[in-house]
Amino acid sequence: MLAFIGLGSNLDNPRSQINKALSALDQAQKVALIQASSFYRSKPLLDMPGPDYLNIVCKIDTSLEVLELLDLCQHIENKQHRVRGVHWGSRTIDLDILLYGDEIHKTQRLTVPHPEMINRSFVLLPLAEIDPTLELPTFGALRTCLEQLELSDIEKI
Ligand code: ROI
């Protein structure tokens, strides 16, 4: 199954956090990393205080079931979550399952496609870099979704 994962970090050297999570994904059983986007820098959503985020999207090929993939993402998050001092409560890495083939999943634990993805330029821009002609289950053409978004506050680096 082809799947897309969104990765984000704004703490403890975001670039290396994201690279570390990418290699953990690639080294996991039943997962092969196919492609990773460039890095994108943006302010925290909703004008929350805190350092800028780095985000990427990656494409994987996996024989994991969708909830097994969620377990793996949470395992990687747990391994990399360092909480210290003034950053109490902040997380060093987030992994979100964006798409799992063209499947739709709605359970207590997981909604796929990720329900917030169409509101987030830091998800749609890197996704479009990998696959500009993607059709999103529920949401329609990625290109059309991107046209609705404000793209002035995000920088490809
Ligand atoms: N803001 C940006 N720019 N990037 C993120 O990955 C991100 N992740 C979050 C919240 C706190 C919603 N804001 C974000 O979890």
Side-chain angles (χ1 to χ4, degrees):
M1 181 72 77
L2 293 176
F4 290 88
I5 313 248
L7 296 89
S9 170
N10 74 336
L11 281 181
D12 285 353
N13 195 341
R15 188 184 283 270
S16 76
Q17 295 291 345
I18 287 173
N19 282 329
K20 196 169 159 188
L22 267 184
S23 55
L25 272 177
D26 195 31
Q27 279 159 29
Q29 301 277 340
K30 303 187 182 178
V31 177
L33 181 63
I34 296 178
Q35 200 179 333
S37 73
S38 309
F39 286 80
Y40 291 77
R41 184 190 295 123
S42 58
K43 299 254 172 260
L45 266 184
L46 306 172
D47 293 322
M48 299 282 281
D52 287 354
Y53 273 83
L54 288 190
N55 289 93
I56 71 160
V57 166
C58 73
K59 181 180 186 178
I60 60 170
D61 192 356
T62 184
S63 55
L64 295 176
E65 298 296 324
V66 70
L67 287 178
E68 294 174 326
L69 182 59
L70 179 61
D71 288 337
L72 172 64
C73 289
Q74 293 182 342
H75 175 73
I76 295 171
E77 287 179 344
N78 290 337
K79 275 202 312 194
Q80 289 183 229
H81 283 165
R82 295 280 153 74
V83 176
R84 46 174 99 110
V86 294
H87 291 315
W88 181 262
S90 290
R91 295 193 294 171
T92 48
I93 190 82
D94 264 316
L95 282 84
D96 290 332
I97 301 175
L98 304 172
L99 301 170
Y100 185 79
D102 56 8
E103 294 186 6
I104 295 172
H105 293 269
K106 283 186 190 141
T107 67
Q108 224 29 345
R109 268 190 86 197
L110 181 69
T111 302
V112 174
H114 192 290
E116 285 300 317
M117 66 185 288
I118 52 163
N119 302 319
R120 297 180 170 178
S121 56
F122 60 81
V123 171
L124 295 194
L125 270 184
L127 187 59
E129 187 188 327
I130 296 178
D131 192 346
T133 64
L134 206 58
E135 290 288 327
L136 311 176
T138 316
F139 300 128
L142 172 57
R143 214 186 286 278
T144 312
C145 295
L146 258 176
E147 282 166 9
Q148 329 279 324
L149 280 186
E150 174 62 56
L151 300 178
S152 61
D153 49 3
I154 180 164
E155 183 189 5
K156 179 173 165 178
I157 59 175

